Amino acid sequence: QVQLQQWGAGLLKPSETLSLTCAVYGGSFSGYHWNWIRQPPGKGLEWIGKIYHNGSTNYNPSLKSRLTISVEPSKYQFSLKLSSVTAADPAMYYCARGRLYEDFFSSWGQGTLVTVSS
Amino acid sequence: EILMTQSPATLSVSPGDRATLSCRASQSVSSRLAWYQQKPGQAPRLLIYGASTRATGVPARFSGSGSETEFTLTISSLQSEDFAVYYCQQYDKWPQTFGQGTKLEIK
């Protein structure tokens, strides 16, 4: 059974870059796409972006200018970088797996709480 | 961007009773609709995809129905572990979008 384990800095200052990594254990890496999703405290879910094993990406237009998602297929890992964080970016950030040609999310990481404070 | 609207925001139901949760899309999403369950402090869990297909390991008391713009998640005979927040998500049009959730609480 696939497991996603994520890590990264949880406390940032305004204007810094958010950086998270997600590792995939126990499943195929090439047969899926790999996503980042966030959830502000007490609110709903927002899809951030996705990447395929070949490095092809799709980003949410609302974040595209600040967003970079990258992949290291040999390590079964993918990463998120969100630059110039502001007070609008604090959230629980999740990595998640999506099946090819289907943009729903069948497996999720445990989440990383990101706080922005000066 | 497609707007997903869930109702009600909070639903109070007694254990053993049936719960019916609704999700409406601002335009047709065909049957490309998923439901997730989220418990406090946990990541969401996929319950239903394709509007009505249960994900692996999901109990049969969970069922999904609907198409186009109107969707329903039904939980028959609620168990204590079913009290949680439920989200719908459309994945027909990019970017995929989620509803704001329905909190299912014990009556």
Side-chain angles (χ1 to χ4, degrees):
Chain A
Q1 183 175 345
V2 66
Q3 291 189 351
L4 281 67
Q5 185 172 345
Q6 58 184 103
W7 64 90
L11 178 60
L12 298 170
K13 293 182 171 58
S15 81
E16 290 186 334
T17 296
L18 184 163
S19 182
L20 300 174
T21 298
C22 183
V24 180
Y25 300 99
S28 168
F29 197 74
S30 61
Y32 300 90
H33 55 83
W34 305 96
N35 297 261
W36 291 99
I37 295 160
R38 70 180 182 179
Q39 183 174 34
K43 296 188 178 180
L45 298 157
E46 179 184 28
W47 176 75
I48 296 170
K50 68 178 177 183
I51 192 164
Y52 294 82
H53 74 282
N54 63 3
S56 176
T57 56
N58 286 118
Y59 296 159
N60 191 317
S62 67
L63 297 168
K64 186 175 182 178
S65 63
R66 300 191 288 133
L67 187 60
T68 302
I69 298 177
S70 58
V71 66
E72 290 192 72
S74 62
K75 294 184 178 180
Y76 278 37
Q77 292 180 5
F78 62 106
S79 298
L80 165 73
K81 290 188 186 300
L82 183 66
S83 64
S84 305
V85 298
T86 72
D89 294 314
M92 185 70 80
Y93 284 73
Y94 295 101
C95 57
R97 185 182 77 169
R99 204 165 63 180
L100 284 182
Y101 312 117
E102 304 280 11
D103 282 323
F104 59 84
F105 311 109
S106 54
S107 298
W108 296 65
Q110 79 277 19
T112 300
L113 183 62
V114 173
T115 303
V116 178
S117 175
S118 55
Chain B
E1 184 172 302
I2 294 180
L3 178 65
M4 306 300 293
T5 303
Q6 292 185 242
S7 61
T10 303
L11 182 62
S12 299
V13 183
S14 300
D17 286 353
R18 174 190 297 257
T20 302
L21 289 67
S22 296
C23 176
R24 174 176 292 179
S26 61
Q27 60 183 275
S28 175
V29 298
S30 185
S31 294
R32 295 169 70 81
L33 189 286
W35 289 95
Y36 299 86
Q37 176 193 67
Q38 187 176 34
K39 297 179 180 179
Q42 297 185 17
R45 171 197 178 196
L46 177 67
L47 296 176
I48 300 284
Y49 61 92
S52 61
T53 302
R54 279 190 301 276
T56 303
V58 174
R61 63 180 181 273
F62 291 89
S63 63
S65 63
S67 64
E68 308 291 339
T69 61
E70 299 285 342
F71 300 89
T72 300
L73 175 69
T74 302
I75 313 169
S76 63
S77 189
L78 278 162
Q79 307 296 302
S80 58
E81 62 265 30
D82 299 336
F83 293 95
V85 179
Y86 291 83
Y87 294 95
C88 62
Q89 177 226 342
Q90 69 80 20
Y91 54 97
D92 186 55
K93 305 289 194 303
W94 181 83
Q96 49 271 54
T97 48
F98 294 86
Q100 285 302 107
T102 290
K103 181 179 181 180
L104 182 57
E105 65 177 26
I106 300 174
K107 187 174 183 179

